[in-house]
Structures are given as structure tokens and as C-alpha cells.
Amino acid sequence: MPGALEGLTVIEFAGIGPGPFACMMLADHGARVIRIERPGRPGRFGDNGNTDILNRNRLVVELDMKDPAAIARVRELVREADAIVEGYRPGVMERLGIGPEVLLADNPRLVYGRMTGWGQDGPMAPLAGHDINYIALSGALHTYGQAGGKPQFPVNAVGDFGGGGMLLAFGVMAAVFSAQRTGKGQVVDAAMTDGAAILSAMTWSFYGNGTWKDERGVNLLDGGTHFYDTYETADGKWISLGSIEPQFYAQLLDKTGLKGDPEFARQMDPSAWGPLKEKVTALILTKTRDEWCAIMDGTDICFAPVLSLAEAPSHPHNAARGTFLTEGGMVMPGPAPRFSGTPAPVPKLASKPLD
């Protein structure tokens, strides 16, 4: 059965990180994504360990962009496409002769997706950077970490993927929807600084309403409380608790035996959070992770064990939903979200040459 994006054609200029992730999202759900690669890259078609999950479900054409014939081929492909995605610094595509003015003239309905860290304009637009820099400038990185400690970056999930690739995928599809109604394409300027900022919208809401201190590890959702945090267990593993609502908090106290301690009635009193966290920390250390799972699984405490990459795919919930799958010898996340009428095809890890 075809996916939800069957019939959509996207031209992808090979890159790393957020651009490929955006195109993976589109390809997972049935879009025909043609990836333009430099000639001679090994393993592009499944040989020699083609194991980049972000590049799954692709058709590939190898073109030397310094060759005028390659530029002509790109323009030929784009005339029949719905969108292109590129992740170069501002001005690179223009210097190649395939900037938005040229390609939108060739195909007025084209959506021209541009993925950068700083954006297409602004004083930092031409500079190099990485995820850690983009989320730093957006204010997001300042909010991640323990009280009194340094900022802790969440690998490259917030800039590259949440604030980058996912933002671009949404932008491309929004612009395609517009083009289908109006007949006019446009440029999508997806910047990871913008994306990281918008992912923090709720934090900004709390901050603007005076309920969020502009410091790390002292707030409701950043580890400042005793009821929303991770805790080490007796076997050196970890669990997560998120018992915010009163009814869930009551279950937490009941299952941990803390119900009789009157100090825990001060759930939303920030002055009590530090001492109460010390008590919860000491208590959780008395049992192994599996022992706490036996106590808390199946309740509304808002609990989950902190699973490693090796453990997560085999958890009964993930296994039941098929959250992970194995293809080409690699375990990988399956396509998401789920569609009831047009489920995503089973992904193929190896790329195929364009006919």
C-alpha cells in the first residue's frame, strides 16, 4: 500500500544531519526522493556497508555539479518535482546557477527548501556552526542541565533534528499544500536557531508569565522538583518520574511508602523541593531498576525505566507497536507518525540508482 505522500517528488542535494532527516521523513511516507550525490562515493547502493538510516528509501543520481551537463540535468529533474531540499551555506546554490530564481522560473510550483543553522539572512548567516551553537544562540541550551552545573546539550536532537529537519519537513509540506491551491511555489527558510527557539515555546510561556526562573535545574520541568526527574537505582541504572498532577503524585507517594511523610504534602512549594529530592534520591537507591519497575509498571505514576539503546527495542511496549525494526542488518526507528489509511511502507536502508 502506498504511503500518505505517494505522488510527491522531492530532489535532495546530499548533505548531513537535518536535510537528510527531513527527506527521510518524507520518503518514509511514500514520497519519491531523488538524492543528488557527488560521483564516486562508496557504498551508495548497498555495497560496502551503506548504513546511514537517515538516507533510507532514496533514489540516487550521481552528478558532478562543476559540470554544466550536471546543472542541466538538475534543472530537468526539478521541472517535474514538487520540491527540492538543500543544506548549503547561503549563496552556494546561486553560485552553481540553480538558486531559487532560476528553478522557480523553470517550475513556478516548486517548493525550494533551504536548511541552515543561522538562516538565509542576518549577520551570522554566512558563518559555520553546529547544533550546539544554534541551540545556544536560541536560548534553549541555557535551560538544559542541573542546578549549579553547566549547560547540558541533548546530543544533537534539538537543533539538527527537532528544530532543523522536522521543521523543514513541516515547512516543505506546508508550502506544497499552498502551491497545490495557488499554483505558486516559494522558498522555505528553515533555520535551526529559529527551530530550537520555537521548540521552547512553552518554556517562553512560563518565563513570560513569571513561573519560570531564568536559571537551570530549579523549575517544574528541568529537574528542579522531586517529582519530575531521573533517579539512580541500586544497580547503577536509572528510572524517570513525572508525577506532576495531584492524582499521579498521590500514587507515587503510595507506591514508594512516602505517603505518611507530611513534608511530601508540600508538592508545589519550591522551598521544599531540595530536601524532598534528597529523600526520594535515597529511597530510589534502595532498590534495583527492575524492582522499581515491578512496583510502578502499570500505574499512573508517570513512570518509565531509562532504557539504553540496546534495551529500548525489546521493551514490550515498543515491541508491540513496532517502534523499532530491523532492516539491512540494522536496528532502527520505524516510520512515524502512524496513518490508519495510508500506513508507511517498510523502509529500505540501501539507496537505489535512479533509472
Side-chain angles (χ1 to χ4, degrees):
M1 182 180 294
L5 298 181
E6 181 77 13
L8 183 78
T9 298
V10 179
I11 308 302
E12 173 191 9
F13 288 83
I16 59 174
F21 179 79
C23 290
M24 181 197 78
M25 293 294 296
L26 302 176
D28 276 356
H29 296 287
R32 180 174 179 255
V33 180
I34 301 169
R35 182 176 170 91
I36 297 174
E37 286 276 8
R38 296 190 308 273
R41 288 193 63 181
R44 296 309 313 139
F45 310 122
D47 299 326
N48 304 319
N50 181 4
T51 55
D52 191 342
I53 294 168
L54 300 182
N55 292 343
R56 66 191 183 191
N57 293 327
R58 302 298 210 283
L59 297 170
V60 174
V61 57
E62 295 186 339
L63 295 174
D64 180 358
M65 302 305 293
K66 297 177 182 179
D67 183 348
I71 300 299
R73 176 65 168 140
V74 168
R75 295 181 66 175
E76 177 187 338
L77 290 170
V78 167
R79 286 187 182 95
E80 304 300 322
D82 298 287
I84 75 161
V85 168
E86 59 93 359
Y88 302 132
R89 293 198 204 190
V92 170
M93 292 289 278
E94 286 82 353
R95 289 194 293 274
L96 289 171
I98 46 177
E101 290 187 5
V102 172
L103 296 188
L104 281 165
D106 288 344
N107 179 357
R109 296 171 58 91
L110 181 70
V111 171
Y112 199 114
R114 314 197 83 167
M115 183 77 259
T116 61
W118 309 116
Q120 294 297 313
D121 53 29
M124 298 182 71
L127 304 179
H130 273 298
D131 176 292
I132 191 171
N133 313 124
Y134 311 137
I135 69 173
L137 199 74
S138 73
L141 181 55
H142 174 74
T143 67
Y144 308 147
Q146 296 297 310
K150 69 177 186 177
Q152 296 286 346
F153 51 95
V155 292
N156 61 337
V158 173
D160 279 348
F161 301 118
M166 196 72 76
L167 183 77
L168 179 60
F170 168 77
V172 165
M173 291 313 305
V176 166
F177 178 67
S178 175
Q180 289 173 344
R181 290 181 295 114
T182 67
K184 295 181 179 179
Q186 59 184 302
V187 174
V188 179
D189 177 0
M192 286 176 256
T193 46
D194 299 344
I198 204 166
L199 287 176
S200 303
M202 189 170 74
T203 302
W204 283 97
S205 182
F206 289 154
Y207 178 61
N209 287 312
T211 57
W212 188 277
K213 293 183 179 179
D214 196 13
E215 53 187 290
R216 285 182 294 283
V218 298
N219 298 288
L220 180 67
L221 300 176
D222 64 359
T225 76
H226 57 291
F227 52 85
Y228 197 97
D229 206 348
T230 56
Y231 289 95
E232 188 175 7
T233 57
D235 53 348
K237 297 181 180 179
W238 295 80
I239 63 169
S240 67
L241 298 175
S243 313
I244 299 174
E245 292 79 3
Q247 66 272 29
F248 305 151
Y249 184 68
Q251 289 192 45
L252 172 66
L253 300 186
D254 181 56
K255 291 294 185 179
T256 56
L258 294 170
K259 187 176 181 180
D261 187 334
E263 287 299 304
F264 281 90
R266 301 166 62 190
Q267 180 189 3
M268 292 299 177
D269 180 356
S271 67
W273 288 347
L276 295 180
K277 181 174 286 193
E278 290 179 5
K279 291 185 177 183
V280 176
T281 298
L283 175 64
I284 300 301
L285 275 170
T286 64
K287 298 182 187 298
T288 66
R289 191 183 70 182
D290 286 349
E291 288 173 329
W292 284 118
C293 285
I295 293 170
M296 297 187 183
D297 275 348
T299 73
D300 278 342
I301 286 173
C302 300
F303 159 86
V306 177
L307 301 180
S308 69
L309 298 180
E311 294 172 318
S314 60
H315 186 276
H317 182 77
N318 292 335
R321 284 184 57 80
T323 301
F324 297 89
L325 53 85
T326 301
E327 203 281 324
M330 284 194 71
V331 177
M332 65 184 75
R338 315 293 176 88
F339 292 89
S340 62
T342 54
V346 176
K348 298 299 182 185
L349 186 59
S351 303
K352 297 190 300 183
L354 180 68
D355 294 334

